[in-house]
Amino acid sequence: VRQVEIVPIEGVVRNVAAGSITKRLGIEEGTPLPRTLIEYYYKDDALGDPLISEEHIACFNWASQEELHDIQDMAIRVNDFLVGMFAGVGIRLVDFKLEFGRYEGEIVLADEISPDTCRLWDKETMKKLDKDRFRRDLGGEAEAYQEVARRLGLMPEEGGGAVVDLVSHRLRKGK
Ligand code: TMP
């Protein structure tokens, strides 16, 4: 774990309309977006993390042009990787949130990427396998998170419900 200087913007990457964008723009949930969309939100709890534009980021110097370029590049690369990884286990990556930090002059990813920060839908049934189960009072969030971990090969082979340490799990399995 590295301590970073947090950039005060969150990036949300969307492949499919869900959540706040459906309400803001009146798009039906589940509509595939014509292209991957990156949105920015200003990190301020008191203001409720408002949606901002690149112009706001430049105007208030929350990130330099070069940093913003790195942020966009990273967001697209993370999306490409995660879309493929989840597609391989029958899960659709609807959207996710990223945070960024500065470390030795470079932009790095900060915070976590998990079912708390992503929308993950089963490809066949469209069942929600993420925090929306909690946000929308659907129940079964622990089972959904375990299902994601199981499909990704992060659960113990038999018994037990705990997610195992990925590194030792891989070492044991020799991969
Ligand atoms: P939204 O549709 O509510 O704007 O959320 C977009 C994505 O960002 C969704 O995968 C949930 C994630 N997210 C967080 O991880 N933390 C937050 O505070 C918010 C608002 C969204």
Side-chain angles (χ1 to χ4, degrees), residues 12 14 18-20 41 95-97 116-119 135:
V12 168
R14 299 184 188 273
S20 65
Y41 294 84
D95 59 31
F96 61 96
K97 184 259 306 178
D116 271 1
T117 62
C118 300
R119 285 198 173 90
R135 292 189 194 99

Side-chain angles (χ1 to χ4, degrees), residues 36-86:
T36 299
L37 180 66
I38 307 178
E39 293 177 341
Y40 304 100
Y41 294 84
Y42 180 51
K43 272 172 70 67
D44 187 316
D45 287 342
L47 298 176
D49 296 347
L51 179 70
I52 52 170
S53 71
E54 289 182 29
E55 284 291 295
H56 292 95
I57 296 171
C59 178
F60 298 111
N61 201 26
W62 289 323
S64 70
Q65 280 305 108
E66 194 188 339
E67 286 176 334
L68 189 59
H69 182 269
D70 289 348
I71 284 171
Q72 287 164 343
D73 198 52
M74 218 174 260
I76 293 298
R77 279 190 291 140
V78 170
N79 187 53
D80 287 348
F81 175 82
L82 290 181
V83 164
M85 184 185 84
F86 283 118

Side-chain angles (χ1 to χ4, degrees), residues 143-161:
E143 293 78 6
Y145 282 34
Q146 284 175 14
E147 175 65 17
V148 174
R150 189 189 62 72
R151 291 196 202 182
L152 291 173
L154 304 177
M155 293 291 281
E157 302 288 300
E158 56 207 271

Side-chain angles (χ1 to χ4, degrees), residues 17 19-29 31:
S20 65
I21 196 172
T22 64
K23 299 187 190 108
R24 194 183 322 118
L25 302 180
I27 307 171
E28 194 183 341
E29 181 158 277
T31 309

